[in-house]
Structure formats: structure tokens, C-alpha cells
Amino acid sequence: MKKANLVTAAFCAVSLAGCAADGSGSHALGDSFGYSFHPDIASWQSNFPFHEAEAYHSHGVSYNEAEEWKEANIPYEQAIKWHSIGFSPDDAKLALGSGVTSADDVAPWYYQLAPMSSQSKPTPTQLVSYASNAGTSYTPADVAAVLQNTSAPIGNINEVISLARQVHTGTPVSQLSSQLTAMRNEAAKQQMAADAQAQAQQKQERVDRYGAATLAACHDDIQGANFAMGSENPYATRGKCVTALLSASPWGKVQWLTERSLLLIDGLPYGQYTYSVIITDPNGPLRLNAQAVLMGTEPTTYTSVLGAQTVAPTFVVVKYLN
């Protein structure tokens, strides 16, 4: 019989529970024996073997966090390593899903970069980004050289990695600042070109939607409809262009004035507020329920059925959009 089993057998001989002859019960009894000398982790006994509970506890992992690591199916040896570099179970699961194989892949980055910042440690996301993109093209020391010798922030992963690769291939650290300036100038140039292209595309989309003549008539300023302007100065709508659906809300109504004009009376539900707007198509019959570009003109004064004099903002159709 092996020495370990002799010890187990001796222990079992004085135990009321007894043991299997081959020592298979030694783990459970050993756990109980260990827990009896560690009352500070006695509450862990129902869920963790003693060696795991003792390891977690000695590394500052709480019982609740240990349960989270267990639920994440991460072995306790790895869990302790992840914990030591500031990772939560969720952080570790994200890291393992992004190409990192273990805490050992990330730990060198933490121990190289964390001491460099007294105020904020590198985040798990940053550490994983550096570790998963490194390969053989740069090292933690290369990244540290960049952070120590330039103004590149640790959070700008792409910027730092680009410089770290240059360090790895022999670029002197004395040249990093000028390299960074050149990179930023080029990035700014590319961004300006992208912005110009986006603006040109947006302008073309507006031309395609409204037509060049309509945009010219509206001085390239067409806003979304806000017929609540009826509550403001009705004269303020003159010369303004808006897009609108020529219909009333479920609690509003349309009153035809002629085949080319209508009075739209609308507002908020339950009659909390109402406003009136007059819309006219100078070129032909007004198309109800159509989407259109409207331009404000001189407001119209009329007397309502209740005898009240109303000054209504007035719009003409510039272009139908559908």
C-alpha cells in the first residue's frame, strides 16, 4: 500500500465514517478535516472542495465571486489568475471568446502596463485588445515604450499598436513623437476627405429628394413640419420651407376652401390645444394625403364659425415628394 493510503487508512481507523480501502474517500474526509481548522471559510464547505475554497480565500476572492467563477465554468486556478489582474468572470468570458486562450496570455500585459499609471489601471478590454492583436509583431515592453515616450493614450489602441510595431522593428524611441505627429496629420487628412465625401453624398441625396430648383427656392433650408408654429407669430413662417404630410391627425379635421386650398385645423388630443393652417397649391388641384415641400407666405386672416378672427399661417406647395 502506498504511503498516502497508509495515512488515509490510519485516519479512517479512528473515523466513525470509515473509508474505502483504496483511499477514495480521502478527499471528502480531507476537506472536512481542513475545514475544521479554518472556521473563516466553513460556509464554503457545501459548494467547494477545501483546496479550492482555501485557494480562493487566500487570494482575496469572496464566496460570491467564487460562485460566479464556478458558474462561468472557469477552473479555480485560472479564475484566481484572472482575478489577480482585475478581471471579473464576465470580463474573462469575453476575453476567452475573443481569441485569448487563458489568463496567462493577458497577465504579462497587465504587469507591464498597470504600474505605469498611478490613477487608472488599463481596463480588461484594453488588455485583451493588446494581447489578442500582438502575435509576434510587438510586445508589452514595446507598448510600454510608446506610452512612456509619446502622448499616445493607452485607450487609443490602434495608435499605440502602430507605434509599438515600429519600436519592435527597430525605430528609436526618440523618433516616436514625430512618427505620432505624422500619423495624426495623415489621419486628420483622411478624416477631412471622408467628411467632404459624406457631405457631398448628403447634398446629392437632398438634390435627388427635393430637386435643385426646390432647394434653390428654399435657400437650401428645408425643415421638418412644425405646424405648432400656429401658436407662434403667424408671420414668422413667411419664406420658410417645411416638409409635411397634407392631412390631419385623428383628432384634427380638414376643411376644403377651393379645389386648390384647404384649411387644416389640428392640435393635441382632447381639444387641449388647436391651431389652424391654410395650404394652397398654386399650380393645380391640391393633393390630399401627399408628402410635400411647403413654403410659408403671407398669413391669412379669416373669421371662424364661432365668430373669432383668426390669423392662420399660410403655405404654398413647392413640390410633391410622392
Side-chain angles (χ1 to χ4, degrees), residues 37-312:
F37 286 95
H38 291 79
D40 50 338
I41 56 173
S43 60
W44 295 53
Q45 186 168 1
S46 62
N47 208 20
F48 294 93
F50 171 73
H51 65 286
E52 290 187 18
E54 194 278 333
Y56 274 131
H57 186 262
S58 65
H59 286 85
V61 180
S62 69
Y63 176 81
N64 289 338
E65 185 184 344
E67 282 196 317
E68 292 177 7
W69 287 111
K70 185 175 182 178
E71 290 174 3
N73 294 317
I74 296 177
Y76 79 98
E77 301 96 335
Q78 276 291 307
I80 289 170
K81 290 180 179 180
W82 284 116
H83 172 84
S84 69
I85 59 175
F87 278 63
S88 69
D90 286 341
D91 294 331
K93 285 192 292 185
L94 289 174
L96 293 170
S98 65
V100 170
T101 60
S102 72
D104 297 325
D105 293 341
V106 183
W109 298 89
Y110 176 83
Y111 292 118
Q112 179 79 57
L113 303 181
M116 296 179 58
S117 176
S118 59
Q119 295 181 345
S120 60
K121 304 299 182 187
T123 67
T125 300
Q126 291 168 350
L127 291 170
V128 170
S129 294
Y130 283 117
S132 60
N133 285 287
T136 59
S137 62
Y138 63 93
T139 66
D142 297 329
V143 170
V146 172
L147 297 176
Q148 290 170 333
N149 292 277
T150 72
S151 61
I154 192 172
N156 193 327
I157 308 295
N158 293 334
E159 196 173 74
V160 174
I161 286 178
S162 179
L163 292 173
R165 285 175 173 150
Q166 294 184 43
V167 173
H168 197 70
T169 56
T171 299
V173 293
S174 60
Q175 296 180 14
L176 292 179
S177 290
S178 60
Q179 292 287 344
L180 178 59
T181 299
M183 285 171 48
R184 289 177 173 175
N185 288 341
E186 180 60 26
K189 185 189 301 183
Q190 292 180 2
Q191 186 61 54
M192 289 178 62
D195 291 344
Q197 183 177 0
Q199 290 174 3
Q201 182 176 348
Q202 290 174 0
K203 184 176 181 179
Q204 185 59 49
E205 289 173 353
R206 286 174 62 81
V207 171
D208 294 341
R209 176 169 172 76
Y210 300 119
T214 300
L215 289 170
C218 294
H219 306 289
D220 202 24
D221 185 10
I222 301 175
Q223 304 294 325
N226 179 19
F227 281 163
M229 287 188 296
S231 67
E232 303 169 0
N233 183 345
Y235 296 91
T237 61
R238 289 179 297 190
K240 290 185 177 180
C241 288
V242 298
T243 58
L245 181 64
L246 305 185
S247 65
S249 66
W251 46 85
K253 63 180 181 179
V254 171
Q255 178 181 334
W256 285 96
L257 303 177
T258 70
E259 69 170 347
R260 295 187 176 193
S261 62
L262 59 78
L263 171 64
L264 176 64
I265 302 174
D266 216 332
L268 299 177
Y270 313 113
Q272 295 175 357
Y273 165 74
T274 60
Y275 58 85
S276 301
V277 175
I278 292 176
I279 303 171
T280 299
D281 185 348
N283 299 312
L286 190 66
R287 291 164 53 184
L288 190 63
N289 298 321
Q291 189 81 18
V293 177
L294 309 176
M295 179 183 289
T297 62
E298 195 69 24
T300 302
T301 302
Y302 71 94
T303 302
S304 71
V305 294
L306 299 178
Q309 189 178 54
T310 300
V311 180

